[in-house]
């Protein structure tokens, strides 16, 4: 799970109290992800460690709108897949700071996120899963909230 959605005590840093290092380049985030982080920050005591982590994250993200080009999955898209077991899953390609695998939001930088990026319905994708290589079939690619 991303550092943006973890328990304050697990937010990282070291014994000196320094905050975890952020990547040098701005990290992508969807408008929804940005709103969720801002809402979480507004609910916190401004002096808490979690508030400082969220402030740092908000200073280093770049809002990107979901992208669907020529039916291909891009940042922020929803991708419905069939796993090798026949199980159906829905994933949303999100930024690292808003990723929440339990909710189906996966980072575009994760192995599965990288494998799904640029794919369209009908594509079969192989990716490195914890238990070894896994193959999945893309059933549908859409923008979030389009009713599918």
């Amino acid at each position: 799970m991303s550092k943006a959605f973890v328990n304050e005590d697990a937010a990282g840093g070291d014994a000196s109290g320094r905050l975890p290092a952020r990547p040098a380049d701005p990290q992508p985030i969807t408008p929804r992800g940005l709103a969720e982080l801002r809402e979480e920050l507004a609910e916190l005591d401004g002096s808490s460690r979690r508030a400082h982590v969220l402030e740092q994250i908000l200073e280093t993200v770049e809002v990107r709108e979901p992208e669907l080009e020529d039916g291909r999955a891009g940042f922020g898209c929803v991708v419905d897949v069939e796993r090798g077991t026949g199980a159906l899953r829905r994933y949303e390609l999100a930024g690292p700071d808003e990723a929440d695998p339990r909710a189906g939001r996966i980072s575009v930088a994760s192995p599965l996120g990288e494998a799904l990026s640029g794919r369209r319905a009908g594509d079969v994708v192989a990716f490195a899963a914890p238990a070894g290589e896994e193959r999945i079939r893309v059933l549908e690619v859409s923008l979030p909230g389009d009713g599918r």
Side-chain angles (χ1 to χ4, degrees):
M1 184 174 352
S2 88
K3 291 188 186 301
F5 288 94
V6 295
N7 180 314
E8 182 175 330
D9 295 334
D14 59 23
S16 71
R18 289 187 301 228
L19 296 176
R22 294 286 298 164
D25 295 330
Q27 295 297 296
I29 192 168
T30 63
R32 186 212 59 246
L34 180 66
E36 288 175 356
L37 292 181
R38 285 180 172 162
E39 182 179 313
E40 181 183 352
L41 178 60
E43 294 172 358
L44 293 173
D45 170 7
S47 64
S48 73
R49 179 168 179 74
R50 179 68 179 150
H52 292 296
V53 169
L54 287 174
E55 288 167 352
Q56 183 183 39
I57 289 169
L58 291 169
E59 290 173 2
T60 59
V61 293
E62 179 177 85
V63 178
R64 288 182 44 198
E65 293 292 331
E67 305 167 334
L68 176 64
E69 188 173 320
D70 192 31
R72 295 182 184 278
F75 182 78
C77 283
V78 175
V79 184
D80 293 315
V81 303
E82 180 178 14
R83 302 201 69 132
T85 62
L88 303 178
R89 286 292 317 256
R90 172 171 282 185
Y91 298 105
E92 183 176 339
L93 301 177
D97 294 306
E98 62 185 315
D100 183 355
R102 291 183 197 150
R105 281 186 256 170
I106 59 171
S107 171
V108 292
S110 70
L112 179 55
E114 287 180 350
L116 291 175
S117 293
R119 302 302 179 152
R120 65 173 72 210
D123 287 350
V124 175
V125 179
F127 70 99
E133 185 176 278
E134 186 175 342
R135 297 176 80 72
I136 57 176
R137 185 167 56 96
V138 177
L139 301 175
E140 186 173 9
V141 176
S142 60
L143 291 172
D146 73 359
R148 295 180 186 177

